[in-house]
Amino acid sequence: MKKLSILASVLLGFVTSSLQAGQEVYKQVAPPPPPMYGLGFYGAIDAGANVYQNRGSDRTFSDQIAGTEDFGDTLTVSPKNDVGFFGGIKLGYVFGTGVIRPTVEGDFFYNGFRGGADFTLRDSDNVVLAQRDVTTWINTGAFMANFILRFAPGNQRFQPYAGGGVGIYYAESAGTEVVNPVTGVVPINTGGGRSHADLAWQVVAGSDYFFTPNISAFIEYHYLNYTSTQINTRESRDLGQHLVGAGVRFFFH
């Protein structure tokens, strides 16, 4: 009887050891933190269209001196607001990792657009006496310092932003060409232009979409204002412009 009891104990020990050997031990591992998009230093390239320049509305000048051969004639000047091109680079830094992220940015870009105006001369009976088309190309460079608030909700892939900036610009006219719209003849071509530098300011709004934590594509709108503090006239000579563009941003973190 005693032998049977010992044998039963030995068998029970084998069975218990086998069951314990077959059990797997699981170690709980914390999930990795979600990726953070758009942090720290960045550089960007962008380009787009200068879709409109507010160069003023039509103006009409009249000869009101009685007794002259031109008495009653009017000259209408219609400024051109043609579409232009801009392109440049950005360098900036994003502060913090929260939903709202202050950002400072240097924005440096070329901004070119067509200037000039259409001129129409009429007599006192409103008969067109002459028409001329004056065209020039304006080349400018803007050097802006922007302060921007970026918003990074949810998974941070979509990040809208808005802000503004101040800086300086340099502008140079490529010369003036006068064209007769009827005959196509160019009676005047100055072949050279003038330059001017002054203060500028802008309002910026846009949005990034991130493909990786370090690379995003963005679209952006600027209202850009070139001031004329060095030109003394009785009227505002500021040039307001609307720029729409897109680009790619690279973060270094």
Side-chain angles (χ1 to χ4, degrees):
M1 187 69 180
K2 187 175 180 179
K3 292 182 179 180
L4 290 176
S5 177
I6 294 173
L7 182 60
S9 299
V10 172
L11 292 175
L12 180 60
F14 279 118
V15 172
T16 303
S17 299
S18 299
L19 290 175
Q20 290 179 346
Q23 292 177 349
E24 294 184 10
V25 178
Y26 293 94
K27 183 177 179 181
Q28 187 173 2
V29 179
M36 302 294 289
Y37 293 86
L39 303 180
F41 288 100
Y42 67 82
I45 56 174
D46 68 334
N50 183 335
V51 297
Y52 182 75
Q53 300 86 45
N54 183 15
R55 302 185 62 240
S57 56
D58 293 0
R59 298 190 63 186
T60 300
F61 303 89
S62 300
D63 177 13
Q64 301 297 332
I65 302 176
T68 67
E69 62 181 12
D70 298 325
F71 177 66
D73 288 359
T74 60
L75 176 65
T76 301
V77 181
S78 303
K80 293 183 178 180
N81 297 303
D82 295 344
V83 173
F85 165 82
F86 79 93
I89 63 173
K90 301 173 183 286
L91 298 172
Y93 185 83
V94 179
F95 295 89
T97 60
V99 175
I100 301 177
R101 301 174 182 176
T103 303
V104 292
E105 178 182 83
D107 193 6
F108 318 104
F109 56 92
Y110 164 81
N111 175 21
F113 53 93
R114 190 170 297 282
D118 295 324
F119 295 83
T120 303
L121 180 65
R122 294 181 173 88
D123 63 15
S124 57
D125 295 323
N126 205 36
V127 176
V128 175
L129 302 177
Q131 290 180 302
R132 293 295 183 269
D133 177 3
V134 178
T135 300
T136 186
W137 184 262
I138 310 298
N139 297 298
T140 78
F143 311 89
M144 311 297 292
N146 298 332
F147 176 77
I148 295 171
L149 288 179
R150 301 181 64 88
F151 303 91
N155 63 9
Q156 306 174 39
R157 283 185 175 271
F158 175 71
Q159 294 189 14
Y161 58 88
V166 295
I168 60 174
Y169 73 92
Y170 175 82
E172 184 176 60
S173 169
T176 300
E177 183 179 86
V178 180
V179 181
N180 185 322
V182 177
T183 64
V185 175
V186 181
I188 300 175
N189 188 340
T190 63
R194 301 182 64 182
S195 62
H196 179 73
D198 217 318
L199 301 178
W201 60 268
Q202 67 177 350
V203 176
V204 180
S207 180
D208 283 79
Y209 181 81
F210 285 83
F211 301 102
T212 73
N214 298 339
I215 301 176
S216 71
F218 65 92
I219 57 173
E220 190 170 270
Y221 164 80
H222 304 241
Y223 174 77
L224 176 64
N225 186 279
Y226 284 165
T227 68
S228 57
T229 60
Q230 300 178 28
I231 303 176
N232 296 320
T233 65
R234 291 177 296 176
E235 300 181 9
S236 172
R237 298 294 297 271
D238 287 9
L239 177 62
Q241 304 171 77
H242 300 270
L243 282 62
V244 179
V248 179
R249 212 181 307 264
F250 305 89
F251 289 81
F252 308 99
H253 66 85

